Amino acid sequence: MNLISLPSVPPESHLPTKSDYILYVDSVQINGNPHADPKKIKTAFSKHINQSRYFKKVLDFSELEKPSNEKYLIVRSKITPLESHKYNWWAAWPAVYPMPFYWPLQPKKGEVSVSMGCGVYTHTGDLVAEYDACESQPYSVTFYGFFNNGDAEANLGSCYKSVFENITGEITSDKRILALTQEASPKKTTDSLSPPSKIIKQAAIPAGNFGSYHALVIGIDTYPGLSHLKTAVNDARAVSGILKEKYGFEVTLLANPGRAEIIASLSHLRKTLSPQDNLLIYYAGHGWLDKQADEGYWLPADAKAGDESNWISNATITSAIRANEAKHVLIVSDSCYSGKLTRAIHLTRKTRGYIQRLSEKKARVVMASGGLEPVEDSGRQGHSVFAAAFIDMLEKNDAVMEGSEAFSQIRHSVMLNADQTPEYGDVRKAGHEGGDFLFVSQAKGQITE
């Protein structure tokens, strides 16, 4: 089966639009299915969004004439259609020797599914929100699989329809989208909007107000049992310096450590940090993904290929931060397959008191340089692409910035300069309670509430 069946598009709605913004549908990437037609899927997705009548127009990104004075957002998607099945070969045996009273009714059964990931961006490339949707349907084929009874195509179309509608519903009801696209809309009254954000000019809030800040920064270039890296130690030293000088962190820097040294440092932090403290763990080095075990690893300097005895698993890292009493813990992982540590995180619109609420809730979050793909070791100015973007963010911040906002800046820069997609989310089963890590600069600046 080609996995290209699409649902019919509902008739054009005559309801009034709710925003003056245009939505441009950019790339629709199809994973694992060379037969699917991205253009047809992109058109169907665009038309489903258009039926919501939320945006002024829903257009193809190729139609954007630059420079544009229109207010617009851009949506980019990845879609994975899948089909799996199995035959009952024993039941199909009578097909070779036809005996009608042995003919089975359903010798082939399977399942079709469609999963979709979607990101919404501003015209400058900043990420506004991300969404995921998935739908699966069973199907069966009669007559020994020689004839398709139509279930597969019909159910695949139903899967597409479901994920398109789910994503559309998320986009048109998300508070982040609503806040952005309704700010200047004449169709809305001020009664329906929250008070506008205020920019408060003052010195950055001292770090003591949020607790003390600690960092364990790890950089590994030298691997006797593996290929050497070029920039990891340099990245770690640069990050250590700016965390100390600009943000007042107490930093432990480990250059080319083995497993025992890393574990001992994590154990020491567990014993010394209190519920008022904040901890950042930065790792630059080799990573590995064991697909069969569904487990990711950091590889210390004494790691050897094919020998897991000195590898540090994601489960070990998660246990270490779950047991740590620090209120906010952020893992920044610049290694291959580092995205295995994350799961989706849902962020809320900034309102008055937003920073204060984040500071009060426990956070266990991770910023990964890539998803389940290799990442680049070299970049610019002697740093990896991700490390350069991370350092640049730290240097430019002059107030209080939450981790999710820092990530939005870093992600855009990395995606422009490398074939990798950073990820941000809460650490699985580590005690995350909805807070976020806060980067509190010691310089003067602006704080957005």
Side-chain angles (χ1 to χ4, degrees), residues 6-12 40 43-49 51 164:
L6 290 169
S8 59
V9 178
E12 182 73 19
K40 289 183 179 179
T43 299
F45 178 46
S46 300
K47 290 183 177 179
H48 271 77
I49 296 179
Q51 302 317 306
F164 288 168

Side-chain angles (χ1 to χ4, degrees), residues 233-371:
V233 171
N234 192 40
D235 295 343
R237 287 173 176 158
V239 169
S240 295
I242 194 168
L243 289 178
K244 285 180 184 178
E245 296 166 10
K246 185 171 182 179
Y247 292 86
F249 277 71
E250 182 179 328
V251 179
T252 299
L253 172 62
L254 303 181
N256 298 312
R259 173 187 168 87
E261 191 174 357
I262 294 174
I263 297 298
S265 296
L266 290 171
S267 178
H268 174 72
L269 290 167
R270 174 185 175 181
K271 295 174 183 176
T272 57
L273 299 191
S274 73
Q276 286 73 46
D277 293 331
N278 306 273
L279 172 63
L280 186 151
I281 300 172
Y282 183 94
Y283 174 80
H286 274 309
W288 181 256
L289 175 64
D290 186 335
K291 294 182 180 179
Q292 291 183 328
D294 193 32
E295 183 68 275
Y297 295 87
W298 286 352
L299 304 187
D302 51 4
K304 297 179 180 179
D307 181 1
E308 300 177 16
S309 58
N310 286 332
W311 300 4
I312 300 177
S313 69
N314 286 352
T316 299
I317 301 165
T318 299
S319 296
I321 66 171
R322 182 172 56 238
N324 198 301
E325 291 189 358
K327 180 168 55 177
H328 292 164
V329 179
L330 170 63
I331 299 174
V332 180
S333 183
D334 188 5
S335 67
C336 295
Y337 315 111
S338 50
K340 188 63 185 173
L341 275 166
T342 69
R343 67 179 181 185
I345 189 170
H346 299 285
L347 305 172
T348 58
R349 176 189 175 189
K350 291 184 182 180
T351 57
R352 183 168 295 277
Y354 174 76
I355 294 292
Q356 184 61 35
R357 289 195 299 276
L358 286 182
S359 71
E360 295 170 354
K361 294 181 179 180
K362 196 172 183 179
R364 296 290 184 269
V365 288
V366 58
M367 187 184 300
S369 60

Side-chain angles (χ1 to χ4, degrees), residues 202-213 276 278 327 356 359 438 440 442:
Q202 62 181 64
I205 299 175
N209 290 2
F210 294 100
S212 59
Y213 279 74
Q276 286 73 46
N278 306 273
K327 180 168 55 177
Q356 184 61 35
S359 71
L438 300 174
V440 184
Q442 303 301 295

Side-chain angles (χ1 to χ4, degrees), residues 58-265:
V58 178
L59 303 173
D60 190 301
F61 189 64
S62 62
E63 300 175 19
L64 177 60
E65 297 181 0
K66 300 179 180 180
S68 174
N69 295 322
E70 298 274 10
K71 296 172 290 186
Y72 65 89
L73 296 175
I74 304 168
V75 60
R76 300 185 177 101
S77 302
K78 291 183 180 180
I79 298 177
T80 305
L82 295 175
E83 186 264 350
S84 61
H85 66 265
K86 60 182 179 180
Y87 287 96
N88 185 338
W89 292 108
W90 287 106
W93 180 253
V96 180
Y97 298 99
M99 290 180 287
F101 53 93
Y102 282 135
W103 283 6
L105 295 176
Q106 296 180 346
K108 178 182 175 183
K109 292 186 177 182
E111 182 180 81
V112 289
S113 65
V114 175
S115 58
M116 183 174 182
C118 183
V120 179
Y121 301 82
T122 65
H123 68 283
T124 58
D126 295 327
L127 179 68
V128 179
E130 288 184 300
Y131 311 100
D132 292 286
C134 184
E135 180 65 29
S136 60
Q137 296 282 346
Y139 75 89
S140 62
V141 176
T142 59
F143 301 116
Y144 311 106
F146 296 136
F147 302 97
N148 198 321
N149 65 0
D151 278 356
E153 283 81 358
N155 290 353
L156 182 66
S158 177
C159 290
Y160 273 111
K161 183 174 184 292
S162 176
V163 296
F164 288 168
E165 290 179 347
N166 286 344
I167 293 293
T168 297
E170 291 275 1
I171 291 175
T172 56
S173 63
D174 191 316
K175 292 182 179 179
R176 292 166 291 184
I177 303 293
L178 297 177
L180 181 64
T181 59
Q182 294 180 4
E183 284 178 352
S185 175
K187 297 180 176 63
K188 294 292 178 180
T189 64
T190 55
D191 293 339
S192 63
L193 298 177
S194 299
S197 298
K198 293 183 178 180
I199 303 297
I200 306 170
K201 292 187 176 182
Q202 62 181 64
I205 299 175
N209 290 2
F210 294 100
S212 59
Y213 279 74
H214 303 260
L216 173 61
V217 181
I218 304 165
I220 307 173
D221 281 341
T222 305
Y223 285 90
L226 299 168
S227 61
H228 294 339
L229 297 177
K230 300 176 182 177
T231 66
V233 171
N234 192 40
D235 295 343
R237 287 173 176 158
V239 169
S240 295
I242 194 168
L243 289 178
K244 285 180 184 178
E245 296 166 10
K246 185 171 182 179
Y247 292 86
F249 277 71
E250 182 179 328
V251 179
T252 299
L253 172 62
L254 303 181
N256 298 312
R259 173 187 168 87
E261 191 174 357
I262 294 174
I263 297 298
S265 296

Side-chain angles (χ1 to χ4, degrees), residues 6-64:
L6 290 169
S8 59
V9 178
E12 182 73 19
S13 170
H14 296 290
L15 295 174
T17 57
K18 301 176 183 177
S19 169
D20 287 338
Y21 269 67
I22 293 174
L23 182 70
Y24 284 99
V25 180
D26 193 6
S27 58
V28 174
Q29 178 180 332
I30 310 299
N31 295 330
N33 179 32
H35 301 290
D37 188 336
K39 291 184 178 179
K40 289 183 179 179
I41 294 174
K42 182 178 182 179
T43 299
F45 178 46
S46 300
K47 290 183 177 179
H48 271 77
I49 296 179
N50 196 41
Q51 302 317 306
S52 69
R53 306 305 295 166
Y54 180 83
F55 295 98
K56 181 179 179 180
K57 295 178 183 177
V58 178
L59 303 173
D60 190 301
F61 189 64
S62 62
E63 300 175 19
L64 177 60

